[in-house]
């Protein structure tokens, strides 16, 4: 059996689903449960990563320092991961995370802007830390472009590199193409992180493993933005059945998932109508709450907002664009034009039949 490393961002990506309000007790409890299950890496932080707690994207209930120290204390065998988006976090935040004992530090960048990670990856390597790089909104680039940017990240010092299906837009063949291209271009482990907007996250993750990814992300009960992430307790046995060894204790993993459902979330994520539209439009799922809030105030259809954001190729960090889109739709009357542009098999950004 081929080995894959499971990377669990429940305590980071899941924060999007609860507006970053996870408390220290719940964070510590899940970290202990994940550690007991033998999950190799447990990631923690604000949903947008180190240094991101703010009025713009939401204040976290617990500081970065408190989250890091809580999880570090809870993990005896699992490694601790953190995530940072340049522009939200800084090298000072990375240094702080290293000081708290973070084992793996991921830098996330838009899929065609790998140069933004250069300084941070070089800093982490100089600190002797394990540095990874993930290319976000990866449906916006071709397989060849992703391979080129992944190779650049490795040149900057990334010790693993891969893609996030940030909008839950991919089908398995899309993943196979992209992961295969990246695996052929680099000599470091390849990462895949899926979202479940179209119900394909587990299938896409298995496709990624088959194409050469050796680090696969998943969250307990799929806890994450919008329709959620790849459901971890389903992913692990499916990977095992298809010939990939994870080393995770199934019963303890199921116990961790039960804890997560009981203590972390009001309810597990579902593939709602707006999440499907988000996936079709190719828009970051984490926009869901803000789209709903602004659309309600502006009296417009949130589905139209998502399709318009897709046409404008909005990416994480451009939350202010939601306000502009709502204002424009409100001024001209939101009559479902965005939805009609996305129906009948439209791909990202309203281009019919195209997976960007």
């Amino acid at each position: 059996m081929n080995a894959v490393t499971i990377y669990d961002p429940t305590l980071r990506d899941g924060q999007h689903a609860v507006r970053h309000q996870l408390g220290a007790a719940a964070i510590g409890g899940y970290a202990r449960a994940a550690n007991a299950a033998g999950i190799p890496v447990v990631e923690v932080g604000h949903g947008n990563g180190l240094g991101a707690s703010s009025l713009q994207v939401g204040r976290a209930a617990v500081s970065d320092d408190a989250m890091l120290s809580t999880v570090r204390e809870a993990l005896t065998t699992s490694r601790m991961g953190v995530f940072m988006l340049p522009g939200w976090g800084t090298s000072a935040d990375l240094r702080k995370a290293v000081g708290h004992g973070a084992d793996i530090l991921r830098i996330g960048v838009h899929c065609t802007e790998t140069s933004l990670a250069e300084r941070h990856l070089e800093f982490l390597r100089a600190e002797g830390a394990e540095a990874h790089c993930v290319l976000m909104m990866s449906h916006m680039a071709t397989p060849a472009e992703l391979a080129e940017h992944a190779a650049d990240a490795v040149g900057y010092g990334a010790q693993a590199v891969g893609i996030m299906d940030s909008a839950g837009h991919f089908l398995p063949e899309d993943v196979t193409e992209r992961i295969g291209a990246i695996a052929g271009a680099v000599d470091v482990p390849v990462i895949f992180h899926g979202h479940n907007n179209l119900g394909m996250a587990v299938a896409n993750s298995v496709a990624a493993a088959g194409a050469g990814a050796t680090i696969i992300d998943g969250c307990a009960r799929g806890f994450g933005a919008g329709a959620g992430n790849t459901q971890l307790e389903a992913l692990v046995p499916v990977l095992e059945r298809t010939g990939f060894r994870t080393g995770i204790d199934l019963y303890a993993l199921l116990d961790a998932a039960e804890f997560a459902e009981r203590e972390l979330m009001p309810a597990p994520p579902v593939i709602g109508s707006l999440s499907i539209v988000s996936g079709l439009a190719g828009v970051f799922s984490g926009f869901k709450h803000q789209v709903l809030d602004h659309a309600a105030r502006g009296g417009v259809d949130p589905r139209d907002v998502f399709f318009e954001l897709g046409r404008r190729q909005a990416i994480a960090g451009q939350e202010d664009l939601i306000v502009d889109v709502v204002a424009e739709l409100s001024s001209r009357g939101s009559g479902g034009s965005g939805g009609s542009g996305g129906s009948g098999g439209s791909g990202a950004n309203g281009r019919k039949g195209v997976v960007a």
Side-chain angles (χ1 to χ4, degrees):
M1 297 179 75
N2 297 315
V4 294
T5 297
I6 296 297
Y7 187 103
D8 179 358
T10 298
L11 296 176
R12 195 276 304 169
D13 213 339
Q15 291 265 28
H16 287 295
V18 292
R19 300 178 185 257
H20 320 287
Q21 295 304 297
L22 291 181
I27 288 170
Y30 181 76
R32 287 188 291 274
N35 184 78
I39 295 172
V41 187
V42 178
E43 185 179 82
V44 64
H46 183 281
N48 291 64
L50 295 171
S53 181
S54 63
L55 290 175
Q56 184 177 0
V57 293
R59 295 277 191 195
V62 179
S63 69
D64 285 353
D65 285 327
M67 284 190 272
L68 291 167
S69 61
T70 297
V71 171
R72 181 68 280 164
E73 183 179 352
L75 301 182
T76 59
T77 54
S78 299
R79 306 176 78 194
M80 182 168 74
V82 296
F83 175 77
M84 195 197 82
L85 293 167
W88 288 117
T90 66
S91 294
D93 293 305
L94 293 173
R95 184 180 289 109
K96 184 187 298 184
V98 171
H100 277 288
D103 298 295
I104 297 174
L105 299 99
R106 277 187 175 180
I107 307 299
V109 294
H110 184 63
C111 59
T112 57
E113 297 178 359
T114 316
S115 60
L116 295 178
E118 180 177 6
R119 179 165 58 90
H120 299 296
L121 291 169
E122 291 177 346
F123 168 81
L124 289 171
R125 295 308 305 275
E127 290 286 309
E130 184 169 339
H132 295 184
C133 183
V134 285
L135 308 179
M136 303 169 66
M137 301 296 287
S138 54
H139 65 282
M140 291 185 171
T142 66
E145 289 170 332
L146 292 171
E148 179 182 351
H149 284 279
D152 288 343
V154 173
Y156 300 147
Q159 293 157 284
V161 66
I163 59 174
M164 287 187 171
D165 181 16
S166 309
H169 185 72
F170 285 147
L171 300 178
E173 54 265 36
D174 305 317
V175 175
T176 296
E177 275 192 295
R178 285 158 174 79
I179 291 295
I182 293 170
V186 302
D187 58 0
V188 300
V190 176
I191 302 162
F192 179 73
H193 173 108
H195 281 243
N196 202 38
N197 296 65
L198 302 180
M200 302 303 297
V202 170
N204 286 342
S205 297
V206 173
T214 56
I215 301 174
I216 306 291
D217 290 8
C219 293
R221 289 293 192 267
F223 193 35
N229 292 16
T230 307
Q231 188 170 347
L232 182 56
E233 66 275 12
L235 170 67
V236 166
V238 171
L239 283 171
E240 296 276 355
R241 287 189 63 183
T242 51
F244 297 95
R245 185 176 68 254
T246 67
I248 293 174
D249 182 289
L250 177 61
Y251 280 16
L253 175 64
L254 296 174
D255 290 342
E258 294 287 346
F259 178 94
E261 181 174 351
R262 186 174 64 249
E263 302 293 339
L264 302 186
M265 60 193 80
V270 297
I271 305 174
S273 298
L274 202 58
S275 296
I276 293 169
V277 169
S278 172
L280 291 172
V283 176
F284 172 50
S285 302
F287 281 9
K288 177 182 176 181
H289 290 305
Q290 294 186 61
V291 166
L292 284 171
D293 290 347
H294 289 296
R297 285 196 289 269
V300 302
D301 191 325
R303 296 170 295 186
D304 288 347
V305 177
F306 265 110
F307 279 115
E308 182 61 28
L309 288 168
R311 278 189 280 270
R312 297 188 187 195
Q313 297 192 320
I315 62 174
Q318 292 183 319
E319 285 81 0
D320 287 349
L321 191 57
I322 297 170
V323 179
D324 296 339
V325 166
V326 168
E328 181 176 321
L329 291 174
S330 181
S331 69
R332 69 180 191 226
S334 175
S337 59
S340 64
S343 63
S346 286
N349 312 317
R351 291 193 293 268
K352 191 172 183 179
V354 173
V355 177

